[in-house]
Amino acid sequence: MSEATTGERLPAGDQPKAAGGRSSTADDPPKEAVGPLIRGLTVIRRLALAGGRRTVSDLTRDTGLARSTVDRVLATLARLGYLRPAGRDAALAPALMELGNAYLAASRLPGLLGPYADGLADELDESVSLAVPDADGVRFVHQVPRRRRMTATFRVGDLLPAESAAPGALFAAGWSPGEWESWRARVAADPGHAGFPVLPPDRDGAHGADSFEIRAALARREGWSVDDQLIEPGLIAVAVPVRDDTGAVVCAVSVVSHTSRHDAASLRDAMLPRLRETVAAMEHALTAPPAAGPVGVARAPVTGAGSEFVESLARGLAVLTAFTTAGMPLSALAEAAGLPRATVRRALITLTHLGYVAAEGRLFRLTPRVLDLGYACLARLTLPRIAEPHLAGLAGEVHDSASMAILAEDDIRYVARVPAERIMSVDITVGTRFPAYATSMGRVLLAGLGDADRSAYLARADLRPLTRHTVTSPVRLAALLDQAARDGYALVDQELEEGLRSVAVPVRDRAGEVVAAVNVSTHAHRQAAGQTREAVLPALREAAARIEHDLHIATRFARIQTA
Ligand code: PHB
């Protein structure tokens, strides 16, 4: 490997930033740091800052790296499944969320405390979130949005400056003079909050910086903190800290509302009692001993994959995904990653230097900064966006149109479509609805319903003949739904339109529930139905499996919208 092992100097002002946006690693990397890993992480972070997608030449300019270096990094990330096809752009793929998932799982916070946050949101009918301190920022690790919420929604992985969000004052209540000094330096260096791309544009140049020290002092005294429209007009929040058994603040719970329902004082008065009860339950949950983490669950290292493949980058990323608990010694990480100790040691030196890993004695833990590696922008993908590259691959393979649909009342509604050629008399676009009973996607979606929902559908559905082939008997339809459930696919021949045949398979969430269907539609007159099934079904199943793989990684800790 010809890659030098020293760090690449970024252009001035482009030095790797500490999580809070302040520059803390302007110093040269330690001499044992792995240069290709530094450069690979720089590329991922730059792509994330650009929203997850960028032309290769812009990315080369952003990173200040050589074009050939960027090409090798991208080839490696693609090989690992961390990039998805996007024409000539580089685009981050949902599988990259494995890195953030490793931090979130090892921290145990969403797993242990998330259910309490979910319950609180249900009970209060307001959004609730969990956030951790990340240098002088507030990083969200769990989000329970309410549908009616009228404000910008933050995602798991998003970072806000401490002065702008309710939890920030709680975290700052424990800052040392040195931490306050760093915060002041960051505010002076970045008054417009350019280091926090998710923050809406500033109205008055403050976003809460002016009052922050007073609010932190108040938070220390009172044990709660409010955000009275610091981020944007109308958005208000109240937060309470969650402490571990040593009294250290590990995260904060926020209840988020809107000025149409509360003012800051009424929100605090209305929410604080239940918020405090929930925090007491959370603090108790935190005392549960950690379950013995599975060892050796890291993905098998991909190796020996051609001259463009940067092995030391792949190994460094494998070390990130090898973390299963908060504090792990070198030997456990080496075992979990399936890599030599010396390799893991150098990766840890590099990751610690960049702020993605923290060392405490002989134990290493991931920091919330790992979520900077594309997590929040990938958490913004919807299921149709996740599916599209896989549908495009499928359509290219079978030379027919590939689509995704969800159930919308008694119809299917198209949410993604890659046309191959026009085979229907009607144009199908995203948003098109058809009656579920006469379509292959409708059949697999109906087959995935629970018994009660399916019976209710069959009792009320108006099964009109749309062609001379349409099945209009509820008894016959019920038998076909049973068969689709058994077979795991449905083939519908000319029941929606003469000459149109389609085959569909379900897409299931982590819990095994059918959340969408994907299909291929084709001419009925080209071949017999059995031939269509043989020609299409294997590729269709593979595409659905790839979509499910992405969806399951993305939804381990984040909520992904289905449409
Ligand atoms: C949020 O979870 O969206 C949130 C939390 C605290 C704030 C603002 C927004 O101050």
Side-chain angles (χ1 to χ4, degrees):
M1 185 59 44
S2 62
E3 293 276 344
T5 52
T6 54
E8 192 97 17
R9 289 309 297 242
L10 294 174
D14 229 354
Q15 293 293 342
K17 297 259 175 75
R22 67 178 183 258
S23 179
S24 74
T25 49
D27 48 333
D28 286 325
K31 75 177 188 320
E32 287 176 284
V34 183
L37 179 55
I38 295 177
R39 292 188 280 276
L41 292 167
T42 299
V43 167
I44 295 172
R45 226 177 97 67
R46 277 288 159 183
L47 265 170
L49 279 175
R53 182 172 177 158
R54 197 98 169 115
T55 69
V56 179
S57 43
D58 285 347
L59 190 57
T60 304
R61 186 154 10 88
D62 294 345
T63 56
L65 298 170
R67 171 67 187 239
S68 58
T69 303
V70 173
D71 284 340
R72 275 202 300 279
V73 166
L74 294 177
T76 306
L77 295 176
R79 195 54 225 280
L80 295 169
Y82 291 159
L83 292 185
R84 63 200 163 99
R88 296 170 60 193
D89 291 358
L92 297 177
L96 184 66
M97 293 172 87
E98 283 178 348
L99 307 186
N101 283 345
Y103 159 73
L104 291 165
S107 83
R108 302 202 302 156
L109 293 176
L112 284 179
L113 309 187
Y116 294 95
D118 298 353
L120 187 64
D122 274 348
E123 193 184 320
L124 303 177
D125 200 20
E126 298 281 6
S127 301
V128 171
S129 63
L130 296 176
V132 296
D134 185 345
D136 61 2
V138 167
R139 178 85 70 177
F140 292 108
V141 296
H142 188 74
Q143 275 283 354
V144 200
R146 289 284 104 178
R147 202 192 304 276
R148 67 147 183 253
R149 189 166 149 186
M150 297 161 58
T151 53
T153 315
F154 297 109
R155 299 300 161 108
V156 171
D158 276 332
L159 180 74
L160 291 174
E163 64 271 24
S164 305
L170 299 167
F171 300 154
W175 280 357
S176 66
E179 286 171 307
W180 277 106
E181 201 41 57
S182 310
W183 173 76
R184 274 184 220 103
R186 191 262 291 159
V187 171
D190 183 16
H193 291 106
F196 302 89
V198 71
L199 199 60
D202 206 341
R203 289 159 292 142
D204 51 17
H207 268 326
D210 293 348
S211 59
F212 190 43
E213 291 175 66
I214 295 167
R215 287 185 289 116
L218 214 61
R220 188 178 316 115
R221 205 181 67 204
E222 304 289 345
W224 50 263
S225 162
V226 296
D227 158 8
D228 189 358
Q229 308 177 71
L230 294 167
I231 295 169
E232 63 176 30
L235 176 64
I236 53 176
V238 56
V240 171
V242 180
R243 297 171 190 276
D244 67 15
D245 53 8
T246 71
V249 173
V250 290
C251 67
V253 193
S254 303
V255 176
V256 189
S257 188
H258 192 268
T259 47
S260 59
R261 298 190 290 283
H262 281 290
D263 62 26
S266 78
L267 181 71
R268 184 199 60 210
D269 293 344
M271 304 301 168
L272 214 46
R274 277 302 293 124
L275 198 43
R276 287 201 156 126
E277 281 171 33
T278 304
V279 165
M282 287 178 167
E283 290 180 342
H284 181 73
L286 280 180
T287 62
V295 174
V297 294
R299 49 156 61 206
V302 180
T303 52
S307 61
E308 288 285 276
F309 190 77
V310 185
E311 193 132 351
S312 51
L313 169 57
R315 290 175 160 189
L317 296 176
V319 171
L320 279 178
T321 57
F323 279 87
T324 49
T325 56
M328 289 176 73
L330 172 60
S331 53
L333 286 164
E335 188 189 340
L339 291 169
R341 283 173 63 104
T343 305
V344 175
R345 189 178 149 270
R346 288 190 57 203
L348 289 170
I349 288 170
T350 312
L351 294 167
T352 305
H353 168 70
L354 296 175
Y356 297 111
V357 165
E360 275 147 30
R362 40 181 286 285
L363 297 183
F364 298 90
R365 65 175 174 83
L366 294 179
T367 70
R369 197 180 184 209
V370 172
L371 295 169
D372 260 351
L373 299 172
Y375 203 88
C377 72
L378 290 164
R380 286 186 162 73
L381 289 176
T382 59
L383 177 57
R385 295 285 91 71
I386 288 175
E388 256 154 21
H390 303 298
L391 294 177
L394 174 62
E397 198 175 331
V398 299
H399 307 291
D400 271 316
S401 310
S403 306
M404 171 177 272
I406 58 172
L407 217 42
E409 286 107 45
D410 292 349
D411 291 338
I412 60 162
R413 181 161 59 84
Y414 280 73
V415 294
R417 178 164 171 84
V418 178
E421 54 184 304
R422 208 184 127 165
I423 57 169
M424 300 186 74
S425 58
V426 280
D427 264 326
I428 302 178
T429 54
V430 167
T432 296
R433 290 169 76 136
F434 290 125
Y437 64 90
T439 62
S440 62
M441 291 198 280
R443 296 256 170 98
V444 296
L445 289 165
L446 293 170
L449 291 178
D451 290 344
D453 285 342
R454 185 212 277 203
S455 304
Y457 169 83
L458 289 169
R460 74 171 172 261
D462 178 15
L463 307 179
R464 290 164 194 244
L466 304 171
T467 70
R468 64 207 157 86
H469 306 284
T470 312
V471 171
T472 56
S473 142
V475 174
R476 173 98 183 94
L477 181 61
L480 288 170
L481 297 183
D482 285 339
Q483 191 185 337
R486 256 194 328 268
D487 295 347
Y489 76 92
L491 187 148
V492 170
D493 207 7
Q494 309 187 72
E495 294 189 44
L496 179 69
E497 184 175 311
E498 293 285 348
L500 174 76
R501 177 183 297 148
S502 75
V503 192
V505 298
V507 173
R508 294 177 188 274
D509 66 13
R510 291 177 65 89
E513 299 291 329
V514 175
V515 291
V518 290
N519 88 338
V520 168
S521 46
T522 184
H523 286 289
H525 302 308
R526 252 184 345 226
Q527 54 190 182
Q531 286 175 303
T532 301
R533 186 182 50 230
E534 269 164 44
V536 165
L537 196 53
L540 181 59
R541 285 196 156 132
E542 272 171 39
R546 280 195 277 268
I547 293 167
E548 286 179 344
H549 175 77
D550 282 356
L551 180 68
H552 297 176
I553 292 174
T555 53
R556 185 166 171 204
F557 295 108
R559 273 159 218 260
I560 295 291
Q561 285 171 334
T562 37

